[in-house]
Amino acid sequence: MSSIENAIIDMYECLPVPFGLVRYGVAPDHPEVRRCRDKFEEVASSPRFNFIGNIAIGRDLPLADLRPHYNAIIFAYGATKDRKLGISGETNLKGIYSARDFVGWYNGLPEHEALAPDLESGEEAVIIGQGNVALDVARILLSDANTLRETDMTDYALDALSKSRVQRVRVIGRRGPMQASFTIKEVRELLNLPAVSFEPINSALLPPNVAKLPRTPKRLTQLLVKGSSTPASQARKSWSLDFLLSPRSFNASNATSSNLSSLTFLKNEFEGSDVFDSSANVSSTTSEISYPTALALRSIGYESEAIDGMKDLGIDFDERRGIIPNDSHGRITSLSEDGTGIPGLYCSGWVKRGPAGVIANTMEDAFDTAESIAKDWGSKEPFMSGTDGWDALQEDAARKVLRPVSWDDWKKIDAAEKERGKAKGKEREKFTSIPDILGVLD
């Protein structure tokens, strides 16, 4: 809006509430990360911005119906599917969850309200994957539930966590500590948890001369070497980072049981001599190790999916890479060899570049796509010809008995959540079902 004079933006959101990952993906004990909402709210306050919530494009309104009414369409819907391991027991045993679903559950995402993870069947938990989401999940499992009561974590999650029997969490990766994708902040927070100890890492997996490392890996390695200030003898809970392991199977206690009782891994070994290189690869051996656990969480990444009707707009979604083909600056292209651009179609975020990075990276990526649109508009590149936007589509929405949510509607929902939270001594108490959210507006 700041680069193109008189530009009007209609933002469609399938949920009745805005903020997406900021609301439902950021850990509730990380309120500082959510401060980017201030910038979003500033944009939303403009009379040239329209929030249209509770409308799923491709399901409620076909993509083909949008095209005649806009100059441009930008796809920025992220990654809604989590990757699976594809190993024995993954789909038929109880006690196995995706980290994405678990995070959505404790953050109040309506689709995961009924997840009800079993946190009471055992004292051991295993998290597969070593990214920041995996460490967020470990921290939530190991934290004293009382310390989370002032956050906006849902009441049902707080209740379940207060009854949790989990005492030991393993965070398992297939490579070594110098190849792991977690960052300093997340490791430090886990190491500083009160009454929680950290199992020392095998020194052979860490560089012998830490002082010679570049600044970021040096700080991270120093943290890992230092470990927790709580000795194991004084800890109520504990956690570890386990390396060079690839999951082979989820196991039940016996042939007739449907409950998870252990996880079996293949031990890995490095390929090549430089085991401290961040890009070092590993291969599996035939040696196995099993860990007892009644709770396993899969945190190995996300995938984007195509929206119904993309082909009607000439978009060939790249199923292999899980992205919309683009020129790396957000201009959607065909999958042909010449990568011909499709006028007026753009993408941003994880659906543009893949599910990697933090919110700051996604914002930078959005700025990059916006700059591409502004450049194309300024140089009079081809766009679509529609200009009436949501105004022209409201009649279709009404005929289909859809219930769009405006920004003013969101303000009412926001106020109601804050009022609910005030009564409980917290910032807000989210509504966790769509009927309850929409009920505020009735």
Side-chain angles (χ1 to χ4, degrees):
M1 290 190 296
S2 61
S3 300
I4 301 177
E5 187 177 2
N6 298 323
I8 296 174
I9 308 296
D10 293 343
M11 189 181 86
Y12 292 88
E13 165 62 55
C14 63
L15 290 168
V17 295
F19 303 127
L21 185 65
V22 175
R23 177 178 168 97
Y24 291 121
V26 174
D29 58 345
H30 282 175
E32 72 285 352
V33 179
R34 297 181 177 181
R35 288 177 188 150
C36 57
R37 284 179 48 160
D38 296 341
K39 182 62 179 177
F40 299 160
E41 288 174 347
E42 179 186 329
V43 171
S45 67
S46 169
R48 294 191 286 129
F49 175 89
N50 298 310
F51 173 73
I52 306 149
N54 203 39
I55 301 289
I57 299 301
R59 183 192 69 199
D60 297 331
L61 289 179
L63 269 171
D65 289 0
L66 267 65
R67 188 169 197 164
H69 303 292
Y70 289 96
N71 296 124
I73 298 175
I74 302 100
F75 296 91
Y77 58 87
T80 56
K81 181 181 177 183
D82 70 283
R83 291 178 181 163
K84 295 186 177 179
L85 293 161
I87 60 176
S88 174
E90 184 175 17
T91 59
N92 62 297
L93 292 180
K94 298 175 183 177
I96 304 167
Y97 309 92
S98 80
R100 177 186 179 274
D101 293 358
F102 187 74
V103 170
W105 169 75
Y106 66 62
N107 272 325
L109 184 60
E111 68 182 274
H112 299 310
E113 179 188 21
L115 185 69
D118 181 1
L119 307 181
E120 300 181 52
S121 289
E123 296 184 354
E124 301 271 347
V126 171
I127 301 171
I128 302 169
Q130 292 184 329
N132 283 340
V133 173
L135 265 60
D136 278 347
V137 170
R139 190 180 66 257
I140 293 299
L141 286 172
L142 292 167
S143 293
D144 183 336
N146 288 324
T147 67
L148 299 170
R149 293 195 183 280
E150 293 183 4
T151 72
D152 67 356
M153 181 178 283
T154 58
D155 272 358
Y156 60 70
L158 288 168
D159 182 58
L161 289 165
S162 70
K163 298 174 183 175
S164 171
R165 291 182 56 215
V166 174
Q167 302 293 316
R168 172 80 162 82
V169 177
R170 293 184 182 274
V171 184
I172 297 179
R174 67 181 188 88
R175 297 194 293 170
M178 305 312 292
Q179 294 82 40
S181 57
F182 49 68
T183 54
I184 293 170
K185 180 179 183 292
E186 280 66 28
V187 172
R188 182 187 295 114
E189 287 179 330
L190 265 169
L191 291 172
N192 289 337
L193 282 179
V196 177
S197 65
F198 175 64
E199 183 178 308
I201 295 172
N202 183 345
S203 60
L205 296 174
L206 299 170
N209 196 338
V210 177
K212 290 187 177 181
L213 293 173
R215 183 173 182 270
T216 299
K218 178 171 73 175
R219 290 176 60 204
L220 182 56
T221 305
Q222 288 171 335
L223 264 180
L224 295 174
V225 170
K226 182 180 178 182
S228 171
S229 59
T230 302
S233 60
Q234 298 176 20
R236 290 186 290 105
K237 299 179 181 180
S238 65
W239 71 290
S240 63
L241 289 166
D242 298 81
F243 302 101
L244 296 174
L245 297 171
S246 289
R248 181 176 183 181
S249 65
F250 294 96
N251 312 310
S253 56
N254 56 64
T256 60
S257 175
S258 61
N259 296 317
L260 176 68
S261 67
S262 69
L263 251 166
T264 298
F265 294 84
L266 288 174
K267 293 182 179 180
N268 297 334
E269 59 185 13
F270 282 105
E271 298 174 352
S273 58
D274 192 356
V275 302
F276 306 126
D277 189 305
S278 62
S279 60
N281 290 319
V282 298
S283 56
S284 294
T285 68
T286 57
S287 181
E288 295 182 354
I289 187 170
S290 294
Y291 294 118
T293 185
L295 174 65
L297 294 119
R298 179 183 61 241
S299 184
I300 57 171
Y302 304 134
E303 293 179 347
S304 297
E305 297 180 284
I307 291 178
D308 288 346
M310 278 187 163
K311 285 192 177 294
D312 295 336
L313 272 61
I315 300 173
D316 292 311
F317 189 85
D318 190 335
E319 298 286 353
R320 182 181 66 82
R321 298 174 63 198
I323 64 169
I324 297 174
N326 67 92
D327 68 349
S328 81
H329 293 292
R331 299 176 182 90
I332 295 178
T333 59
S334 67
L335 283 176
S336 61
E337 288 187 10
D338 62 358
T340 306
I342 306 176
L345 298 183
Y346 298 83
C347 58
S348 179
W350 285 3
V351 77
K352 168 185 171 182
R353 57 185 168 81
V358 296
I359 288 176
N361 303 120
T362 303
M363 291 179 70
E364 290 171 6
D365 187 76
F367 298 151
D368 176 59
T369 295
E371 186 177 342
S372 295
I373 298 170
K375 282 182 178 179
D376 292 351
W377 187 261
S379 59
K380 301 191 183 303
E381 295 290 334
F383 277 79
M384 299 183 299
S385 58
T387 58
D388 43 10
W390 173 237
D391 288 343
L393 291 162
Q394 290 186 59
E395 187 175 328
D396 284 347
R399 187 166 53 250
K400 294 178 179 181
V401 199
L402 301 179
R403 176 55 173 99
V405 174
S406 68
W407 191 256
D408 284 341
D409 289 336
W410 155 245
K411 287 181 178 178
K412 295 175 185 176
I413 297 165
D414 184 41
E417 288 187 340
K418 288 178 177 177
E419 189 62 30
R420 279 159 47 95
K422 185 178 179 182
K424 299 178 180 181
K426 54 200 294 190
E427 177 192 356
R428 74 172 64 239
E429 179 64 29
K430 295 174 186 170
F431 294 102
T432 58
S433 75
I434 290 177
D436 285 348
I437 294 172
L438 296 178
V440 175
L441 308 176
D442 293 338

